Amino acid sequence: MPVVDQRTTPRTPRRRPAPRPAVRKVPPPRGRAQGLWPYALVAPAVGGMLYLLVYPLVRAVLISFQDFRLRQLIAGDADFVGLRNYRTLLTDPRFWEVVRRTFLFMAVNVVLIMVIATLVALMVERLGRIGRTVVLCSLVLAWAMPVVAATTVFQWLFHSEFGIVNWSLTSLGLDSFERYPWFANGTAAFAILVTLIVWQSVPFAAITLYSALTTVSPELYESARLDGAGAARIFRSVTFPMLRPIFLLVLSLEVIWTFKAFVQIWVMTRGGPGDATTILPVYAVQTALSSQRYDLGSAASMVTVVLMSGVLVLYFRQMLRQEDETR
């Protein structure tokens, strides 16, 4: 039988399959209803925001330009009086006393909040893992407490007959604090409200500043220590410049939070004793409810909104100025 040499025998070439024709994918037709579907999904949220935020603001602006009292609230036939309500408000000496007290209340609270929050944030950064966890959990729990609940607790603490503060001071030998009426003294009531608002505001500010501190590179601190800088110098030259945008943000938020602190004052003192704890939001509600002057109350609310907007404008101008400097 002859032997066939496999190396010289020609092989039959394989036939490659013919390439398939390219199929052009045609996108599904986008109808008008499909294009409007994303807007329909966000429409309820936008509508709710407009109804709950924009409509009351517009309504308050309109009432501030009307003669709107109890009769107009029932009958609904208020007349426009122009700027008369604002002239009445701005010529009232009590109003300017309330404005002065509002800025004093805001300044005391904001300074204490920022100083204590900064110290707490620096302390948390230096704690170990267990200590840091305990402190952060405590801050979150204090921050999560409802405003009315916290205010009620402070009322119990400083109760003239059953409060633990009077009992503690009396136990230490300070007999003058037995049955001491804290909320009947203007300065004491003011100090209690400051303590309450600082206690409620420090957790948010401290957690925010601590989160910003974790972004600072440890090499910067090490370089500053090698150059002989102390703790105060490191904070002034390294920490604060790195945290300045977050610091200004927290500062602005705390100014707004303190400026509109109505619930705590209304639940605890209703602005008393006298006008010792009356700030602009409380003054607006007192004016609207006590004498049914809803027009003057709305005008006072609009002045409050303008002042708060001024704070925001100053903050954004500072932020834009810093962005220009860093470019």
Side-chain angles (χ1 to χ4, degrees):
M1 183 175 179
V3 180
V4 181
D5 190 357
Q6 297 291 337
R7 293 174 295 180
T8 58
T9 304
R11 296 181 179 181
T12 305
R14 294 184 179 181
R15 298 181 60 183
R16 296 182 180 180
R20 297 180 181 180
V23 180
R24 182 181 179 184
K25 295 183 179 181
V26 180
R30 291 179 59 89
R32 184 177 181 85
Q34 187 176 1
L36 296 177
W37 181 245
Y39 301 98
L41 292 176
V42 300
V46 175
M49 184 189 65
L50 294 177
Y51 182 76
L52 295 176
L53 298 178
V54 179
Y55 173 74
L57 180 62
V58 174
R59 183 63 175 159
V61 172
L62 292 176
I63 292 176
S64 67
F65 291 105
Q66 294 175 335
D67 183 10
F68 202 95
R69 310 191 187 194
L70 184 61
R71 186 182 67 83
Q72 287 78 13
L73 178 64
I74 298 174
D77 55 348
D79 298 327
F80 282 91
V81 295
L83 297 175
R84 189 182 71 183
N85 294 323
Y86 289 95
R87 286 196 296 268
T88 303
L89 191 69
L90 297 178
T91 54
D92 184 8
R94 179 172 177 254
F95 170 77
W96 291 109
E97 181 66 22
V98 170
V99 172
R100 184 193 65 81
R101 188 180 302 108
T102 301
F103 279 97
L104 174 63
F105 183 77
M106 178 186 66
V108 172
N109 278 285
V110 170
V111 170
L112 290 176
I113 290 169
M114 297 307 298
V115 170
I116 297 175
T118 303
L119 294 176
V120 171
L122 293 173
M123 179 194 70
V124 172
E125 187 189 23
R126 286 162 174 77
L127 290 176
R129 182 176 180 181
I130 297 178
R132 186 184 305 118
T133 303
V134 171
V135 174
L136 290 177
C137 290
S138 302
L139 292 174
V140 171
L141 290 176
W143 184 28
M145 180 175 289
V147 176
V148 177
T151 306
T152 304
V153 169
F154 268 71
Q155 282 182 309
W156 292 344
L157 289 175
F158 291 93
H159 193 275
S160 60
E161 187 174 356
F162 305 107
I164 192 174
V165 174
N166 283 352
W167 176 81
S168 300
L169 294 175
T170 305
S171 302
L172 293 175
L174 302 175
D175 297 333
S176 60
F177 286 96
E178 184 176 0
R179 296 177 182 270
Y180 184 79
W182 292 93
F183 299 107
N185 185 295
T187 304
F190 189 91
I192 293 171
L193 284 170
V194 168
T195 304
L196 171 60
I197 293 176
V198 169
W199 180 78
Q200 290 178 319
S201 304
V202 162
F204 168 77
I207 293 173
T208 305
L209 292 176
Y210 166 71
S211 302
L213 280 173
T214 58
T215 63
V216 181
S217 176
E219 285 77 8
L220 296 176
Y221 294 129
E222 189 65 26
S223 300
R225 294 190 188 95
L226 292 176
D227 292 337
R233 179 67 178 179
I234 291 175
F235 178 81
R236 187 170 62 253
S237 302
V238 178
T239 306
F240 185 74
M242 298 293 293
L243 300 184
R244 184 177 297 171
I246 302 298
F247 194 88
L248 290 177
L249 175 62
V250 175
L251 179 65
S252 302
L253 293 176
E254 295 303 334
V255 167
I256 296 172
W257 164 258
T258 306
F259 210 94
K260 64 182 186 65
F262 167 77
V263 176
Q264 298 92 330
I265 299 175
W266 190 257
V267 172
M268 188 174 289
T269 63
R270 292 184 180 270
D275 284 338
T277 58
T278 300
I279 61 174
L280 276 174
V282 179
Y283 174 82
V285 174
Q286 287 177 344
T287 304
L289 297 182
S290 61
S291 56
Q292 282 78 44
R293 291 300 304 271
Y294 304 105
D295 46 5
L296 289 180
S298 298
S301 300
M302 291 303 102
V303 172
T304 305
V305 171
V306 170
L307 293 176
M308 292 177 61
S309 302
V311 173
L312 291 177
V313 169
L314 292 176
Y315 166 70
F316 285 119
R317 286 185 60 185
Q318 183 68 24
M319 289 293 294
L320 293 175
R321 187 180 304 170
Q322 287 185 357
E323 290 182 0
D324 293 338
E325 292 177 355
T326 55
R327 288 178 182 176

